[in-house]
Structure formats: C-alpha cells, structure tokens
Amino acid sequence: MTSQEIFELISKQPMFHLATMDGDQPRVRGMMLFRADERGIVFHTASTKDVYRQIKANPKAEMCFSCGEVQVRVTGVLEQNDDPALREEIFAHPSRKFLHAWKEKGIDRLLQVFVMKDCTAVTWTMAANFDPKEPVKLC
C-alpha cells in the first residue's frame, strides 16, 4: 500500500487504539481520529487524562486501526500542537459537537491536540499473516 492509500483507509475508520507507556507498563485505549495526511495524524484528548501525562512523559506511541480485513499499525512520535486555528477547526467540526459544552463551560483550555510525526505504518491481513512486514513512511 502507498502512504496515500493508508491515509484514505484510516480516515474512513476514525476509531483507533493508542498504545502509550506508563513507566514500564503499556497502556492501550480507544481514541478518535481527527485527521490523517502527510502533515501527520491528528487527535486530541484532555489535559486531565492519564493518556496526556503518559504522552508528555514519553511521546513515542503506536496507533492501531482496524479497517475491515486490514489492520494498520502506525508507529511514531507524538508532538503537542497549540495552533489556535487547528483548535478552532476541531471545535467547529461537525463530528466534535460533544466539545461545544467545553466552550460553554469555559474549560476549552483542557483540549490538548497531538500530531503523530516521523511515522511509519505496517499493514496486516489474515491472507498475508506470515509475510514480512513492509513499513511505509507516512509523515
């Protein structure tokens, strides 16, 4: 698969699992993709969450997208993004209506945006279960 094909595939499946480290203990949780393209893979969380503290302590992470019969694992480094325009784009997006209450309550500063950079992806299917992995540079 090409990087563009991977971006298209994971963009159609916005739910993914994010693996981080909590000291020497791995932690995995479901997350919601905002955007994926050559600039990076964008998602957000709240500064009050454990995942936020884990990323700040160790920004290396892995994402796993289940896209029908294809699994896509993306490994890279998470960078915090404080761009006000991106934050407003997230708040205004139709899929993020649940964030409107944050603005109404004046707690929108809790929103923390991360972008996975320097990332590569590998795909997996049952048919290619034992084939060598072929990493694809994404961003």
Side-chain angles (χ1 to χ4, degrees), residues 1 3 5 10 19 35 44-45 51 61 70-71 80 82 85 92 102 104 121 127 129 133:
M1 289 188 125
S3 61
E5 289 170 325
I10 66 178
R35 180 175 63 217
H44 54 83
T45 190
V51 66
V70 180
Q71 183 183 85
Q80 193 163 6
D82 296 322
W102 291 27
E104 291 167 8
N129 190 26
K133 292 179 181 66

Side-chain angles (χ1 to χ4, degrees), residues 32-130:
M32 197 168 149
L33 175 71
F34 181 69
R35 180 175 63 217
D37 58 31
E38 62 282 343
R39 296 170 291 178
I41 300 173
V42 180
F43 69 97
H44 54 83
T45 190
S47 59
T48 56
K49 301 241 179 173
D50 291 339
V51 66
Y52 174 76
R53 287 185 289 282
Q54 292 160 10
I55 293 168
K56 294 301 282 183
N58 181 353
K60 293 181 181 178
E62 186 164 273
M63 300 171 167
C64 184
F65 295 84
S66 293
C67 307
E69 295 181 7
V70 180
Q71 183 183 85
V72 179
R73 291 191 351 243
V74 183
T75 303
V77 178
L78 297 172
E79 295 179 3
Q80 193 163 6
N81 185 308
D82 296 322
D83 177 20
L86 179 56
R87 291 174 57 81
E88 284 308 309
E89 181 184 348
I90 291 170
F91 276 110
H93 197 274
S95 69
R96 299 310 197 266
K97 288 182 181 178
F98 63 93
L99 292 174
H100 294 181
W102 291 27
K103 280 199 162 198
E104 291 167 8
K105 293 178 182 179
I107 59 171
D108 52 313
R109 68 188 179 287
L110 297 179
L111 182 78
Q112 302 299 316
V113 180
F114 287 96
V115 181
M116 182 173 272
K117 300 275 188 146
D118 192 26
C119 55
T120 57
V122 293
T123 57
W124 175 92
T125 64
M126 185 58 80
N129 190 26
F130 296 106

